[in-house]
Amino acid sequence: AQSVTQLGSHVSVSEGALVLLRCNYSSSVPPYLFWYVQYPNQGLQLLLKYTTGATLVKGINGFEAEFKKSETSFHLTKPSAHMSDAAEYFCAVRFGSSSASKIIFGSGTRLSIRP
Amino acid sequence: DAGITQSPRYKITETGRQVTLMCHQTWSHSYMFWYRQDLGHGLRLIYYSAAADITDKGEVPDGYVVSRSKTENFPLTLESATRSQTSVYFCASTEYEQYFGPGTRLTVT
């Protein structure tokens, strides 16, 4: 069955520390992978996406993610956390290449930043 | 401005009342979606539409009705609101990745 799992519903890091948010998926077809960020009282905003090609993708606000097919993972990282990174982060996977393909969202990870 | 908008942003209604949440997109995307977001459940798909006059159920469609007479609009109606429908509702459209509206916070008392 197709699924998306985000490990850790809440992650807390110190300002300046490495951010690592985990996402694993199960799929029988090549996945297309996304990370979204949601700030309080706002909709979801695309951070980055992987479709094909280079497995390390860079997004906005200094975030990046690496697609590891062998591990079925797409973890999100940022070398140095900033207070403004505090938000909810969602991993999403499209199972197929067309707009009609199903997208499944992970349950989200709330990132807190300690001063 | 190009984008996807939702109205109202906040709504309080009583149990049993009908309420309609509006969604409008300016890109002419074929696919549009309605999600609800609740603590502990993440985003759950209510209904989606592949084009005008084509809609289909998602994961949690009970108690909701949608229509899509025009490509740019995708209203969601709660025919008889219940407290369990208190939630934040997001509309989205897709060209490749999904673009989300700002959400409607609905409280049913």
Side-chain angles (χ1 to χ4, degrees):
Chain A
Q2 298 165 334
S3 66
V4 179
T5 303
Q6 289 184 241
L7 295 175
S9 59
H10 185 208
V11 170
S12 179
V13 303
S14 298
E15 190 173 18
L18 171 72
V19 175
L20 170 61
L21 305 182
R22 301 177 186 272
C23 175
N24 288 87
Y25 66 92
S26 64
S27 174
S28 57
V29 298
Y32 294 76
L33 303 158
F34 308 87
W35 274 99
Y36 287 85
V37 60
Q38 184 182 28
Y39 299 103
N41 298 315
Q42 295 186 25
L44 279 69
Q45 176 186 358
L46 183 68
L47 264 182
L48 49 78
K49 63 183 177 184
Y50 169 79
T51 54
T52 58
T55 56
L56 180 63
V57 294
K58 296 185 184 298
I60 62 173
N61 302 337
F63 284 92
E64 61 184 36
E66 185 172 12
F67 170 50
K68 292 187 176 180
K69 184 177 179 180
S70 62
E71 299 177 8
T72 60
S73 69
F74 191 57
H75 301 332
L76 180 72
T77 61
K78 182 174 180 178
S80 178
H82 192 274
M83 296 299 292
S84 61
D85 295 327
E88 185 103 19
Y89 292 81
F90 291 90
C91 178
V93 181
R94 178 191 294 281
F95 298 99
S97 60
S98 78
S99 295
S101 302
K102 188 176 183 180
I103 293 180
I104 295 180
F105 286 84
S107 55
T109 297
R110 182 170 300 278
L111 177 65
S112 300
I113 311 297
R114 301 187 300 271
Chain B
D1 291 337
I4 183 165
T5 56
Q6 293 183 236
S7 63
R9 292 293 314 278
Y10 302 90
K11 177 73 176 179
I12 300 174
T13 192
E14 294 177 344
T15 300
R17 289 191 178 271
Q18 182 182 83
V19 59
T20 296
L21 311 184
M22 304 301 294
C23 177
H24 175 80
Q25 53 112 349
T26 61
W27 295 297
S28 298
H29 290 164
S30 296
Y31 279 82
M32 296 187 73
F33 305 80
W34 273 106
Y35 294 91
R36 60 178 291 174
Q37 185 177 34
D38 306 286
L39 279 174
H41 292 281
L43 283 166
R44 292 184 290 176
L45 181 64
I46 304 171
Y47 269 94
Y48 67 98
S49 169
D53 297 322
I54 301 175
T55 62
D56 208 347
K57 296 178 180 179
E59 182 184 354
V60 289
D62 293 342
Y64 303 95
V65 174
V66 294
S67 62
R68 194 157 176 217
S69 57
K70 295 183 178 181
T71 300
E72 62 267 29
N73 297 324
F74 190 38
L76 175 74
T77 298
L78 289 66
E79 293 189 303
S80 178
T82 65
R83 290 193 181 89
S84 65
Q85 293 177 308
T86 292
S87 185
V88 181
Y89 292 85
F90 288 99
C91 178
S93 70
T94 185
E95 176 65 29
Y96 188 83
E97 65 263 17
Q98 290 202 337
Y99 298 89
F100 285 82
T104 295
R105 184 174 296 274
L106 176 68
T107 301
V108 182
T109 62

